[in-house]
Structure formats: structure tokens, C-alpha cells
Amino acid sequence: RMSRHAKKLRDHDINPCLAETDATTKCMDDNNYNKDLCTDYFLKYKNCRRFWHEIMMQRKRSGVKPEMPTAEERKKILESMG
């Protein structure tokens, strides 16, 4: 059974980097946990976290709720950026 915290991390509206998380985990599984072979995945995850953290901080400063855009909103934000 998943803990409440684990469930939150699996929620697309809460975790904007779910795809990157899963890809990194799969890479690690497929490569016997050799981090050197998964550097690109770690980088993509890190960039994803940094990007959405920035968006979240901007929204917080502007008083926008929720601070983390929903999965649907995030999709529109990314589409608007090309």
C-alpha cells in the first residue's frame, strides 16, 4: 500500500515531473543502478524541477492559487512556449 506521500508524488497535478521521474527510475533499473549511464535522465529531471519551481515561485509572489499549475494548465503553458 502506498503512503500518502507516495500517492502525492504519483499525482500528475502535484508532480509536474512524473514522466522524468519514471524515465530516470527505468534507466537506473535497466542499467543495474549505474548512475553514469543515466546522466541525461537526471539532467532532464533536474531541469524539469527547476523550471516548475520557478513557475511556482512566480505564482506564489503573484498570489495565484494553486501555486503549482494543474496538469492541464502546465500542458497549456508548455504549448504556449513552443
Side-chain angles (χ1 to χ4, degrees):
R1 215 175 134 210
M2 270 200 279
S3 69
R4 190 177 299 140
H5 180 69
K7 275 192 184 120
K8 277 175 89 171
L9 292 178
R10 300 299 311 160
D11 184 335
H12 280 282
D13 282 330
I14 294 170
N15 182 356
C17 301
L18 200 51
E20 291 78 2
T21 302
D22 291 346
T24 303
T25 302
K26 184 180 181 333
C27 181
M28 290 292 282
D29 289 345
D30 292 350
N31 291 290
N32 205 24
Y33 295 84
N34 181 342
K35 280 186 175 175
D36 295 338
L37 297 175
C38 300
T39 308
D40 288 349
Y41 292 96
F42 284 113
L43 195 59
K44 283 179 189 164
Y45 172 78
K46 195 171 155 187
N47 289 337
C48 178
R49 296 296 305 171
R50 189 180 299 135
F51 176 80
W52 289 112
H53 180 75
E54 249 335 285
I55 298 278
M56 207 169 83
M57 295 316 288
Q58 284 173 5
R59 287 169 67 107
K60 193 177 206 168
R61 283 190 292 270
S62 304
V64 177
K65 297 277 182 194
E67 287 157 9
M68 176 55 72
T70 62
E72 193 55 42
E73 280 182 276
R74 290 194 309 266
K75 191 176 164 204
K76 288 177 182 155
I77 290 169
L78 291 174
E79 283 169 358
S80 76
M81 295 174 70

